[in-house]
Amino acid sequence: MSAISKRKRKISSSSTGKRKSRKQRSSVGLTKAEKSEQHELRKQYLQAIRGQVLTTMLAVYVVDPLGHDVTPEKLTNEKLQRREQAGQ
C-alpha cells in the first residue's frame, strides 16, 4: 500500500464528494476540519507521487543511437549522491 492508507483515501474521497458547484452551494459543504484534513491528505498524496517519480527517474539511463550513455549530468550526480548516502 502507498503512503496513504485506504482509510485516509476513503475519507478524502468522501469529503471531496461533498463539494458543490457554485450554483449548488448553500450552507452545506465541507467543514473547516474536513477542509483541513483534505488539504493534509492532498499534501501527503502529492509527496508520495513525487517520491515515486523521483525513484523512477533515478532508474533511468539515456542512451544515444550509437549506444553512448548521455544521461543528463544532474541526474547522474543525483544517482551518485544517493549511492553514497546509502553506503554510509
Side-chain angles (χ1 to χ4, degrees):
M1 179 77 6
S2 68
I4 301 175
S5 70
K6 288 181 183 178
R7 180 186 173 287
K8 287 182 179 179
R9 276 194 239 181
K10 185 176 180 181
I11 291 170
S12 179
S13 296
S14 65
S15 62
T16 301
K18 290 183 181 181
R19 278 194 259 169
K20 306 279 184 182
S21 70
R22 286 186 196 181
K23 290 181 181 179
Q24 294 173 329
R25 271 190 216 148
S26 61
S27 61
V28 179
L30 296 177
T31 64
K32 281 189 174 188
E34 288 172 329
K35 286 180 183 179
S36 176
E37 182 178 19
Q38 184 183 38
H39 178 72
E40 185 59 35
L41 291 173
R42 184 173 188 276
K43 282 176 39 180
Q44 291 175 12
Y45 172 76
L46 290 174
Q47 184 179 10
I49 294 297
R50 288 180 181 124
Q52 291 171 358
V53 170
L54 180 59
T55 300
T56 300
M57 290 304 298
L58 291 175
V60 169
Y61 290 92
V62 181
V63 181
D64 69 7
L66 300 176
H68 300 108
D69 184 2
V70 292
T71 304
E73 188 176 332
K74 185 175 181 179
L75 183 56
T76 303
N77 291 339
E78 182 68 26
K79 288 178 187 182
L80 291 173
Q81 287 178 351
R82 297 279 173 142
R83 285 187 195 137
E84 289 173 1
Q85 289 174 355
Q88 292 177 352

